[in-house]
Amino acid sequence: MSPKKNDTQKPGTKHSFMKLLPEQFKRLLDCIADGMFSVDLSWRITSFNRAAEEITGISKDDALGHRCCEVFKANICERDCALKQTMATNRPVINKKIYIVNKRGERIPVTISTAILYDADGNVIGGVETFRDLSQMEALKKELHRQYSFRDIISRNPQMMELFEILPEIAQSDVTILVSGESGTGKELVARAIHDLSLRRNHPFIAVNCGAIPETLMESELFGYRKGAFTGAQHHKPGRFKLADKGTLFLDEISELSLTLQVKLLRAIETKKYEPLGAVSQETADVRIVTATNKNLEQLVNDGGFREDLYYRVNVISIELPPLRDRLEDIPLLVDFFIQKFNSLQHKSIEGISDDALSLLMRYDYPGNVRELQNFVERAFVLCRGDTLEKKYFPEKLHALDEKEEMLQEGSLSDVEAAAIKAALRRHGGRKQDAARELGIHRTTLYRKMKFHGIDVEKE
Amino acid sequence: MRIGLPVWEKRISPVFDSASTMWIACSGSGNDYHWETHDLPEGPMIYRIQKLLQLNIDVLICGAVSRCCLQLLNGYGFQVVNWVCGDADEVVKAFLAGHSLQETHAMPGMRNWGRGFRHRKGRCWQKGRRKQ
């Protein structure tokens, strides 16, 4: 017999709470903002109001007659059921904070209160639980405390917020992690956050940029060498593996490692043993590896530029950071963060950024990602003489974008042409030869068009 | 095949995130199987997942599971069949018989929810692949 059949049995009519309620009272329950359900003595749901439907995502028809734990899906159902506690002790539970998992798999923070239900003769016929959705309140709290940062990573982008949620869990384990994302998206910050949240936080975090060290030196950098290993090796030198012992080794741009070194790295990760150059015995290092790349490693594996076995070894958990152009909503937060940072570093007291300047920054697509934005703000900081970062302090390429947009708003083809000529002349300080080259027209054509549109270099 | 089920009172635990006991149905060829029982650790989710890794589970059949936990499970390469409820024994029998648990043992209101993942292999978080 399938247990499902038992599940779908409707509650016994004798103790059905619904039957005891007048229709008006049921309607009243549907009007309240708090979720409410009642159960009979076999923990099957006998009433389920409209707010309960909204909060759990489960309809009343689906809920009635089923076990409350399989409908409500709270973290306390199994070990610490509040209704059970109330039934056992005859005391209500008031405003206990728990979470439930809704239909979309979201953890919804709620507070619950419980009470016992009696019939007219005073017999216990079940229990009632009310619950209040706290998710909006939690979101507001986050807004108030500006909890859009995680360690030094700042974002309000949903994908990044999801990463913030999952990062502490990932950090607790010792698995190898591959962080991928375009240059400047903050891969090292993520690696540092993982280290800071891990049990290895009191041991070293060693970062190595595999693309910045010549191939010939990479092996000695990673594994170290013994005195006399090669000409000039006058004493022992510990490698990065040794330095990161009991801590975390961050290998940035791992795709730049040579195939020969990839074999040695794989061996070191798998066996936790390595051989320094010139050594006769192996050394051990207890190191957690975090790697990063701005390339598509899977593609590199297919092209033969990266070993497949090493790829699977480093890609146990993969974290992908979105580029800044896909999370433009972060720009105001990031600008604010950089202003505070540079105020403190450069002993200035810039108060903020003008609306014009911010809108200029929002229109750019940031091939260099957050690092490029940081450079823009730093540049503006150096040039700024007032207390607000104005549009004029930001680089010319951002203004070019602005001008293009202005041109598009001008309307007619003739207007667009005139605006393009004016902008080019402005960019080149009135030098017609350079402006004509940029516009892709001959100098004499430029003269002709300037005359036609009545453009005066002196005025421009 | 080793099929893991978080179990409470002989039924699938309502929420995997807070489940305390894991039953494992070890099946050979055919539909015969025997049970193993293990405790799941409390604390960070990662401890729970490490335990599952130790238990060498091929498939995890569970009730509700939060999205962040599901991402971790997928990240570690587990095949997850979630939103399932009912008697553990019945669920395993149905699974081994090739029935869609989404049809026969779905949690209330979850019938055919997220249909199509029944045979999906676990993937690393966002775009990785299962560790070989």
Side-chain angles (χ1 to χ4, degrees):
Chain A
M1 187 180 67
S2 160
K4 194 82 189 82
K5 283 176 187 165
N6 288 333
D7 287 351
T8 51
Q9 275 173 359
K10 296 291 176 193
T13 50
K14 192 178 171 188
H15 297 304
S16 171
F17 180 57
M18 292 294 285
K19 295 224 168 198
L20 298 175
L21 285 172
E23 195 58 33
Q24 292 89 341
F25 189 57
K26 278 192 272 176
R27 283 204 197 119
L28 182 71
L29 288 180
D30 278 343
C31 292
I32 59 173
D34 286 355
M36 189 229 76
F37 67 84
S38 59
V39 293
D40 61 17
L41 292 172
S42 58
W43 308 106
R44 288 177 190 276
I45 291 188
T46 52
S47 69
F48 202 70
N49 77 346
R50 195 158 58 194
E53 289 182 301
E54 278 168 21
I55 298 169
T56 59
I58 307 295
S59 72
K60 182 198 269 184
D61 290 343
D62 284 328
L64 291 179
H66 288 281
R67 289 166 174 263
C68 56
C69 62
E70 287 167 3
V71 173
F72 195 48
K73 300 186 282 282
N75 62 321
I76 57 163
C77 287
E78 200 174 312
R79 299 180 199 228
D80 193 19
C81 172
L83 260 177
K84 225 174 238 179
Q85 198 181 319
T86 300
M87 302 283 229
T89 60
N90 205 9
R91 283 188 192 152
V93 169
I94 309 285
N95 283 336
K96 181 173 181 159
K97 200 172 170 188
I98 61 161
Y99 71 81
I100 60 170
V101 178
N102 74 1
K103 199 171 181 174
R104 287 180 296 280
E106 294 159 340
R107 281 187 182 185
I108 308 287
V110 295
T111 51
I112 55 167
S113 300
T114 59
I116 297 178
L117 285 175
Y118 299 94
D119 65 10
D121 300 328
N123 302 314
V124 176
I125 56 164
V128 63
E129 186 160 320
T130 59
F131 51 102
R132 179 166 293 177
D133 183 355
L134 299 179
S135 47
Q136 262 189 345
M137 202 188 291
E138 295 285 321
L140 281 170
K141 261 190 208 167
K142 274 190 182 175
E143 186 78 45
L144 275 175
H145 296 108
R146 299 175 63 87
Q147 286 177 351
Y148 291 122
S149 66
F150 188 85
R151 301 283 149 165
D152 283 338
I153 314 163
I154 290 163
S155 184
R156 64 197 307 170
N157 172 273
Q159 194 182 336
M160 293 294 285
M161 299 283 277
E162 222 164 75
L163 174 66
F164 295 168
E165 207 174 308
I166 207 168
L167 217 49
E169 298 281 359
I170 293 174
Q172 293 286 321
S173 76
D174 246 2
V175 293
T176 318
I177 294 169
L178 174 66
V179 188
S180 56
E182 290 179 12
S183 178
T185 46
K187 297 185 286 293
E188 184 164 346
L189 285 181
V190 170
R192 277 187 188 277
I194 290 169
H195 173 74
D196 291 344
L197 291 164
S198 72
L199 301 174
R200 296 170 177 268
R201 67 177 81 82
N202 296 324
H203 297 283
F205 173 85
I206 304 288
V208 184
N209 188 328
C210 304
I213 299 171
E215 194 187 323
T216 45
L217 297 179
M218 197 62 204
E219 186 175 352
S220 61
E221 272 300 318
L222 281 182
F223 305 120
Y225 57 78
R226 286 276 173 269
K227 183 179 175 182
F230 48 82
T231 312
Q234 292 175 349
H235 37 251
H236 300 328
K237 188 193 169 199
R240 305 291 174 104
F241 262 85
K242 183 80 183 171
L243 295 174
D245 196 18
K246 294 189 173 59
T248 306
L249 179 61
F250 174 55
L251 299 173
D252 199 1
E253 294 188 42
I254 192 165
S255 57
E256 303 301 317
L257 277 184
S258 70
L259 287 169
T260 328
L261 211 50
Q262 285 177 27
V263 181
K264 292 184 178 175
L265 178 62
L266 175 65
R267 204 174 154 69
I269 295 174
E270 279 183 338
T271 62
K272 294 192 181 294
K273 285 180 182 169
Y274 62 94
E275 208 166 287
L277 275 174
V280 289
S281 60
Q282 289 189 324
E283 288 189 5
T284 53
D286 171 24
V287 173
R288 197 244 182 105
I289 305 281
V290 179
T291 59
T293 181
N294 56 9
K295 294 192 176 153
N296 184 343
L297 271 194
E298 207 166 353
Q299 186 62 45
L300 270 180
V301 169
N302 293 336
D303 297 344
F306 200 84
R307 288 184 64 93
E308 193 176 7
D309 43 10
L310 180 60
Y311 172 68
Y312 288 125
R313 176 54 68 182
V314 298
N315 188 23
V316 178
I317 294 264
S318 166
I319 294 173
E320 192 175 352
L321 300 178
L324 187 54
R325 66 180 165 278
D326 289 349
R327 49 185 184 108
L328 290 176
E329 70 269 36
D330 285 345
I331 289 178
L333 278 178
L334 287 164
V335 169
D336 191 41
F337 172 76
F338 292 137
I339 287 174
Q340 286 177 34
K341 178 180 164 184
F342 292 128
N343 268 336
S344 143
L345 284 176
Q346 299 181 13
H347 306 294
K348 284 194 169 185
S349 51
I350 305 283
E351 284 171 9
I353 183 167
S354 72
D355 290 346
D356 278 2
L358 188 60
S359 125
L360 193 72
L361 290 175
M362 298 284 278
R363 285 206 288 272
Y364 188 58
D365 67 353
Y366 298 94
N369 290 296
V370 183
R371 190 182 291 128
E372 190 173 16
L373 174 66
Q374 181 178 346
N375 291 345
F376 288 159
V377 178
E378 190 168 14
R379 178 188 192 273
F381 242 79
V382 173
L383 299 175
C384 185
R385 294 285 169 267
D387 54 11
T388 305
L389 298 181
E390 300 287 350
K391 199 172 167 180
K392 60 185 176 188
Y393 300 129
F394 288 92
E396 199 58 41
K397 61 180 170 186
L398 294 178
H399 293 281
L401 209 72
D402 210 23
E403 281 159 1
K404 265 186 202 163
E405 209 154 273
E406 273 172 22
M407 270 184 237
L408 291 172
Q409 286 166 358
E410 294 284 344
S412 76
L413 184 62
S414 172
D415 289 340
V416 172
E417 187 178 73
I421 292 170
K422 282 180 189 172
L425 286 168
R426 219 172 16 243
R427 276 196 294 281
H428 294 284
R431 291 186 301 279
K432 297 180 201 72
Q433 181 75 49
D434 295 342
R437 193 179 299 120
E438 187 196 306
L439 292 166
I441 54 175
H442 195 268
R443 188 163 49 91
T444 52
T445 312
L446 178 64
Y447 275 113
R448 187 165 46 80
K449 286 185 182 289
M450 282 172 64
K451 193 174 172 188
F452 175 78
H453 292 297
I455 298 169
D456 185 349
V457 177
E458 295 303 314
K459 280 186 195 167
E460 294 307 318
Chain B
M1 185 190 256
R2 291 170 66 80
I3 308 163
L5 302 94
V7 171
W8 174 56
E9 294 179 348
K10 295 187 179 173
R11 294 174 65 84
I12 305 279
S13 292
V15 181
F16 172 72
D17 303 35
S18 53
S20 54
T21 308
M22 176 65 72
W23 285 15
I24 298 172
C26 310
S27 71
S29 55
N31 288 351
D32 294 337
Y33 60 91
H34 65 273
W35 288 108
E36 280 178 14
T37 310
H38 300 269
D39 289 335
L40 282 173
E42 287 185 59
M45 185 53 61
I46 206 79
Y47 295 161
R48 198 171 288 261
I49 287 170
Q50 278 170 340
K51 180 74 179 180
L52 297 191
L53 286 169
Q54 283 169 16
L55 297 174
N56 205 19
I57 287 168
D58 297 302
V59 183
L60 176 70
I61 299 175
C62 59
V65 55
S66 67
R67 207 159 50 191
C68 70
C69 179
L70 184 62
Q71 279 174 341
L72 270 179
L73 287 164
N74 286 339
Y76 278 87
F78 289 105
Q79 185 186 346
V80 183
V81 184
N82 51 354
W83 305 119
V84 174
C85 70
D87 179 85
D89 225 18
E90 295 291 336
V91 167
V92 169
K93 278 178 189 155
F95 182 76
L96 289 174
H99 296 154
S100 163
L101 298 181
Q102 283 290 289
E103 292 284 347
T104 58
H105 291 83
M107 292 186 100
M110 305 305 291
R111 189 169 296 243
N112 292 329
W113 179 257
R115 195 186 173 95
F117 63 80
R118 164 64 178 80
H119 293 292
R120 193 181 69 188
K121 282 280 176 190
R123 293 189 317 139
C124 276
W125 194 60
Q126 290 189 349
K127 70 163 207 176
R129 289 170 60 178
R130 184 170 187 178
K131 193 176 86 175
Q132 300 294 300

